[in-house]
Amino acid sequence: MMTNYFLIIGLVVIFTISITIVSTLVILKIVSWNWITGVLLGTITSYTSFLLVSKSARLLIKTENHYFLYFMFLLRIGVYFITTVTVLLLNDLFAIEGFLIGLVNSIFYPFFKYKSV
């Protein structure tokens, strides 16, 4: 149970460091401000997909409804797809590089223990 807290603290530290680095690059005018919006959108997408995974795992254990699990899986794929298409179409507002940096948090999801869910 404590490993989840340490992992969450690690994710917050990674997010804080990446936002600090990107903000410094924007202040020094090395990159434009749309990198920050891309990082924020990628992080929001990443955390939303994690919430969908944890909710579907909890409800699968509680109700044993496999169709709901399929629905939540498709919903998570849809969240990734819609935000990726949004980033690609609105490249003046969001930077694809910042979006990919924001999605780095989703790499660490398999390390969460679902027994404590």
Side-chain angles (χ1 to χ4, degrees), residues 72-86:
M72 293 299 271
F73 174 75
L74 290 175
L75 186 65
R76 192 178 82 198
I77 296 297
V79 165
Y80 281 129
F81 179 74
I82 289 172
T83 54
T84 304
V85 168
T86 303

Side-chain angles (χ1 to χ4, degrees), residues 26-38:
V26 168
I27 290 171
L28 296 175
K29 297 190 189 260
I30 295 173
V31 296
S32 59
W33 62 272
N34 60 357
W35 277 60
I36 292 178
T37 58

Side-chain angles (χ1 to χ4, degrees), residues 36-79:
I36 292 178
T37 58
V39 169
L40 290 175
L41 185 67
T43 305
I44 289 169
T45 302
S46 169
Y47 289 144
T48 302
S49 68
F50 175 70
L51 291 174
L52 288 173
V53 167
S54 63
K55 182 170 181 72
S56 65
R58 241 184 284 122
L59 289 175
L60 179 66
I61 292 170
K62 185 177 178 182
T63 63
E64 296 182 7
N65 186 359
H66 298 288
Y67 296 112
F68 183 73
L69 180 70
Y70 298 145
F71 171 71
M72 293 299 271
F73 174 75
L74 290 175
L75 186 65
R76 192 178 82 198
I77 296 297
V79 165

Side-chain angles (χ1 to χ4, degrees), residues 87-99:
V87 166
L88 291 175
L89 291 177
L90 299 174
N91 55 3
D92 293 337
L93 189 57
F94 304 108
I96 187 69
E97 297 90 357
F99 178 70

